[in-house]
Amino acid sequence: MKTLVSLVLGLLIATGAAAQDTIRIDHAASHSMVPGAKVGDGYLVITNSGGEPDRLVAASSDRAKTVQLHQMTMANGIMTMRELKGGLAIPAGQTITLAPNYHLMFQDVAKPFRQGETIRAVLRFEKAGDITVDFAVGKIAGPLDDVGGAGGMDHGSMDHGAMNMPGMEGMDMSGPPPEEAIPETLKTMFERPDKPLTILPVVVRNDWAIAGWQQDGRGGRALLKKGHHGWSIFLCSGDGIREAAALEKAGLSADDARALAADLADAEARLDPKVLATFASFEGTVMMAAEAGDAGQGGHEGHGQ
C-alpha cells in the first residue's frame, strides 16, 4: 500500500513539475508609483510551450492587499476596466502579452513602488501551479523598455502576428485607437478608487497627442508621444501647450504643431468654461520624458495626492 501511495504521489509531483516547465514568464515590469498612490500595475508576457492549455487564475504579493487581473474593454465609446474573474486562458503553444488590454493591478499598496526595485508576486496557474515572478519597476510613466528583462519588450522587432490575445482573433493587433489607449494609459497610472480621473478631450496628430485631465478638483493638459510600446507622457502643463509655437518648441514639426493646436482649440470650444479654467490652473510645465529623469516623478506628486 505504501508503495502504491508513494507511486501516486510521485506521479502527481512529476506532472505538476512538467506543467510548470511549460509556462515561461518574460518582461515582467511595473511603473513606479506616485507618492501616496495605492494602486500599482504589472505587465508581462506569458508563453505556454506545452501541448495543453492552461489558465492564469490568481495572483498575490506581499506588497499589496490583493492582486487582480484586469481587462479593458470599449463599448459605445465608454471605456470599462474590470476584474477578469474567470482568469486568463493561455492556449497551448501560444504567447499572451498582458498589455494594454490585460494587466495586473496591485490593490491597496502600502509602500508605493519605487524605480529600480523589484516587486515579487506569485502567479497561480490552473495546471502549472504557483510561479514566482519578480516585476522590475521602471519610470513613473511611459514605456518600460529598459526593465523587465534583457532589452525589455522590443515591439519594434517582435512578431505580433505570432501572438494571440484572447478574444482578439481577426482584429487589428496594433492596439486600440489613441482615443481609447491614451485614457487607459493615464487611468492605469494615476487613477485611485477615491480620486477618479477624467480624460477629455483627446486630440491626436500623427505620433503626438494632447489630453485634458481632471482629478480631485484640479486639472491640466498632458502632451503625449507614441513610441514602440504605445503612448507615454512627454510633459504636463496648463495653458502653456495650447499654442502651436509652444508645441513646436517641445519638438513637434511646424505642421504637426499647427494642426494639433487647431484640433485642440476646436475640441475645447465645446467644453464648459469651468473645465477650461481647471486646465489652466496647472502652473508651469513639468517634463515627463525619459530624458527628464527625476523631474517627471517630482512633477506628478501633486497630481496624485
Side-chain angles (χ1 to χ4, degrees):
M1 184 65 179
K2 291 183 178 180
T3 302
L4 179 59
V5 171
S6 298
L7 178 60
V8 171
L9 289 175
L11 288 173
L12 290 174
I13 293 171
T15 301
Q20 192 171 67
D21 288 342
T22 65
I23 295 294
R24 190 181 79 241
I25 308 297
D26 295 304
H27 311 303
S30 299
H31 287 97
S32 51
M33 296 166 59
V34 178
K38 296 295 184 181
V39 180
D41 58 22
Y43 301 94
L44 63 153
V45 175
I46 305 173
T47 299
N48 181 359
S49 60
E52 297 291 332
D54 207 333
R55 180 177 293 271
L56 174 61
V57 294
S60 62
S61 174
D62 290 340
R63 294 292 298 271
K65 185 176 181 180
T66 60
V67 182
Q68 299 176 350
L69 175 64
H70 279 214
Q71 179 184 23
M72 187 274 286
T73 58
M74 290 293 299
N76 300 320
I78 299 175
M79 182 187 69
T80 303
M81 186 168 64
R82 59 170 58 92
E83 183 181 4
L84 195 63
K85 292 184 178 295
L88 179 65
I90 315 295
Q94 296 289 334
T95 295
I96 305 298
T97 302
L98 271 70
N101 297 66
Y102 299 90
H103 51 270
L104 294 177
M105 295 294 288
F106 293 78
Q107 308 275 10
D108 292 326
V109 175
K111 184 179 179 182
F113 302 166
R114 294 181 62 85
Q115 185 171 1
E117 69 173 334
T118 57
I119 307 301
R120 176 155 292 185
V122 177
L123 306 184
R124 175 160 294 177
F125 292 85
E126 200 170 64
K127 295 179 180 176
D130 291 352
I131 297 179
T132 299
V133 179
D134 289 325
F135 289 80
V137 180
K139 53 196 174 187
I140 200 170
L144 295 168
D145 297 350
D146 55 343
V147 297
M153 293 175 60
D154 183 5
H155 283 248
S157 61
M158 189 178 294
D159 181 10
H160 289 271
M163 292 189 176
N164 178 33
M165 292 288 285
M168 303 292 283
E169 294 83 354
M171 297 181 65
D172 180 6
M173 298 305 290
S174 61
E179 291 79 9
E180 299 173 12
I182 289 172
E184 164 66 5
T185 297
L186 297 177
K187 284 174 177 287
T188 297
M189 290 190 293
F190 301 120
E191 189 168 59
R192 293 167 52 179
D194 59 331
K195 294 183 179 180
L197 179 66
T198 300
I199 306 297
L200 187 77
V202 175
V203 294
V204 182
R205 179 63 56 165
N206 294 325
D207 290 338
W208 293 91
I210 295 178
W213 62 267
Q214 300 172 75
Q215 186 179 46
D216 196 32
R218 291 174 291 179
R221 298 178 179 88
L223 177 65
L224 300 99
K225 184 173 175 58
K226 186 178 183 181
H228 289 309
H229 294 256
W231 293 92
S232 59
I233 304 174
F234 187 81
L235 62 82
C236 290
S237 187
D239 284 345
I241 53 173
R242 293 182 63 192
E243 304 299 327
L247 294 173
E248 193 171 351
K249 286 183 179 179
L252 281 71
S253 68
D255 289 343
D256 282 350
R258 285 193 295 268
L260 194 59
D263 291 345
L264 181 66
D266 181 64
E268 291 188 345
R270 299 185 287 272
L271 297 181
D272 189 307
K274 293 181 180 179
V275 174
L276 298 180
T278 303
F279 293 164
S281 68
F282 192 106
E283 297 182 357
T285 298
V286 178
M287 296 298 298
M288 297 288 289
E291 58 268 23
D294 293 338
Q297 295 192 41
H300 255 76
E301 288 182 10
H303 171 95
Q305 291 176 342

